[in-house]
Amino acid sequence: MDWQTLLDRLHDKGLTVTARSMHKIPYTTEKGVFDDLSESNISWWTNGFWAGLLWQFYGAYGGEILRKAAEEVEEKLDKVFLLPQGMDHDSGFRWLPTAGANYTLTGSEDSRRRLQLAANDLAGRFNPAGNFIRAWNDSGDGKTAGWAIIDCMMNLPLLYRASELLNDPRFRLIAVRHASTAGKAFVRADGSVCHIVAFDPNTGERLCSLGRQGFGHGSSWTRGQAWALYGFTLSYLHTGERDYLLTAVKVADRFLQRIPGSGLIPVDFDQPAATAYEDSTAAAIAACGLIELAEAARDPGYREATLRLLTALAEKRLNLDEDCDHLLEKCTAAYHDARHEFAIIYGDYYFTEAVMKLCGKETFLW
Ligand code: GLY
């Protein structure tokens, strides 16, 4: 595969799609046309990824239309800071690909301030009894006060970034406490990971694990495995803490053992064959993590695995038709959702990020 040629084609398509998608914050497509969550669901956790994709193209190729569209998304997200249930642990997903990218590429002071606000809120979700960051908000019964989820490993880079920006170790200290808790509480002996762990919010005792977006309790939800793989690798890159590297290697080795012959990734490695849904996002996220891990662990085997995942996606699941807004086909948000195997914006984002990494053109957002 000629990855640079592919990246040029992704960029060409990106420009065409941006021109007809101005003012949108897409999540998926309907008949190939991006939807828009700007009004209907501005606090949705995926609302940073379209801007992240635009900033990645801007960082590699320039182009004012890309910057303009990305900045508009970032400004729209300001509403989220004030919504009663708008903020949750996914602040990293919302503001690193928007404000974080903008600050890196342009030095915008408004973006720096947004990063600071988002990091303060994320740090405020830390529970010192159990050394974890609370995931979701209260739905009226107090049930989720002690819930942490594996996805949060990908939000920790917002805290590492805030410590650097503000010359203040508190954010990093919270991130490492959460990462160390997650290494013990989420990662199973075989290297697979739980989605949710419930702690007693008063004592910090680990109560149980819960399945949710995967097939069931004890199963191996692939996007969760991919968040862990990439997330522990990132925590290692930010801290140099060897335990995180070892955890990333353990999770990656298990993931690699379970990649099907097709190279395409199911929603859950343990789902029944009769309802075998695919999730291209898990493949793309794992590919990003594996490229970084190949360097960090000095193991070229992880790079080979990356190429296998990305080649399968590029050959079988990539839509380069410029009349269609999305890139990746067959993404799935959760096994038990009514809808499976459709386009999802973070699939497009991470696939492009992975190709950017291969070409040495990435703006590092995490
Ligand atoms: N909340 C992140 C995910 O669904 O993967």
Side-chain angles (χ1 to χ4, degrees), residues 13 58 213 364:
K13 172 164 172 168
Y58 179 83
Q213 283 171 243
F364 195 77

Side-chain angles (χ1 to χ4, degrees), residues 44-46 89-90 93 136 149 151-152 155 195 213 221 223-224 227 279 281 285 332-334 346:
W44 190 231
W45 73 274
T46 65
H89 77 123
D90 280 331
F93 285 130
W136 296 310
I149 69 173
D151 324 23
C152 192
N155 290 314
H195 183 199
Q213 283 171 243
W221 172 49
R223 198 164 62 257
W227 291 140
D279 182 15
T281 75
I285 297 159
T332 301
Y346 50 88

Side-chain angles (χ1 to χ4, degrees), residues 22-277:
M22 292 306 281
H23 319 303
K24 285 188 179 180
I25 305 184
Y27 172 68
T28 186
T29 54
E30 300 298 339
K31 298 199 172 88
V33 178
F34 272 148
D35 63 353
D36 179 16
L37 269 50
S38 305
E39 296 296 329
S40 60
N41 199 356
I42 189 62
S43 62
W44 190 231
W45 73 274
T46 65
N47 282 352
F49 287 108
W50 171 236
L53 187 55
L54 301 176
W55 282 121
Q56 288 292 358
F57 288 136
Y58 179 83
Y61 297 89
E64 284 310 289
I65 188 174
L66 299 167
R67 186 184 58 76
K68 217 165 160 269
E71 283 178 350
E72 187 178 322
V73 174
E74 183 180 334
E75 283 159 22
K76 284 182 173 172
L77 289 187
D78 284 352
K79 257 196 213 158
V80 180
F81 287 118
L82 293 180
L83 289 178
Q85 296 280 338
M87 303 294 287
D88 58 26
H89 77 123
D90 280 331
S91 290
F93 285 130
R94 293 185 187 89
W95 280 285
L96 286 172
T98 52
N102 194 352
Y103 184 64
T104 300
L105 290 166
T106 75
S108 158
E109 276 305 313
D110 284 350
S111 300
R112 185 184 206 276
R113 178 84 186 120
R114 290 181 180 111
L115 284 175
Q116 190 175 337
L117 285 171
N120 273 319
D121 194 273
L122 183 57
R125 303 182 74 84
F126 181 68
N127 182 324
N131 286 320
F132 65 89
I133 292 172
R134 176 186 179 157
W136 296 310
N137 298 323
D138 191 23
S139 45
D141 55 10
K143 232 170 87 179
T144 57
W147 284 16
I149 69 173
I150 193 62
D151 324 23
C152 192
M153 288 304 300
M154 289 299 293
N155 290 314
L156 301 185
L158 175 62
L159 299 177
Y160 297 126
R161 185 112 198 245
S163 269
E164 282 163 22
L165 283 179
L166 303 169
N167 292 318
D168 182 340
R170 288 175 303 146
F171 301 94
R172 178 176 49 76
L173 291 171
I174 286 173
V176 297
R177 288 206 189 179
H178 179 91
S180 297
T181 301
K184 293 188 206 96
F186 284 78
V187 182
R188 304 183 187 118
D190 67 1
S192 68
V193 299
C194 319
H195 183 199
I196 302 174
V197 170
F199 298 91
D200 181 317
N202 289 301
T203 66
E205 181 195 352
R206 184 188 190 280
L207 300 175
C208 62
S209 68
L210 301 159
R212 181 133 155 176
Q213 283 171 243
F215 172 63
H217 183 248
S219 75
S220 190
W221 172 49
T222 55
R223 198 164 62 257
Q225 321 305 298
W227 291 140
L229 194 171
Y230 197 8
F232 280 104
T233 303
L234 289 168
S235 272
Y236 171 70
L237 294 179
H238 282 285
T239 65
E241 179 55 62
R242 217 175 143 66
D243 270 1
Y244 302 154
L245 180 63
L246 297 178
T247 303
V249 163
K250 185 171 169 176
V251 173
D253 289 350
R254 183 65 181 158
F255 194 98
L256 263 50
Q257 279 167 10
R258 304 208 67 185
I259 298 177
S262 64
L264 298 167
I265 300 300
V267 177
D268 193 308
F269 285 128
D270 299 315
Q271 67 191 347
T275 48
Y277 306 120

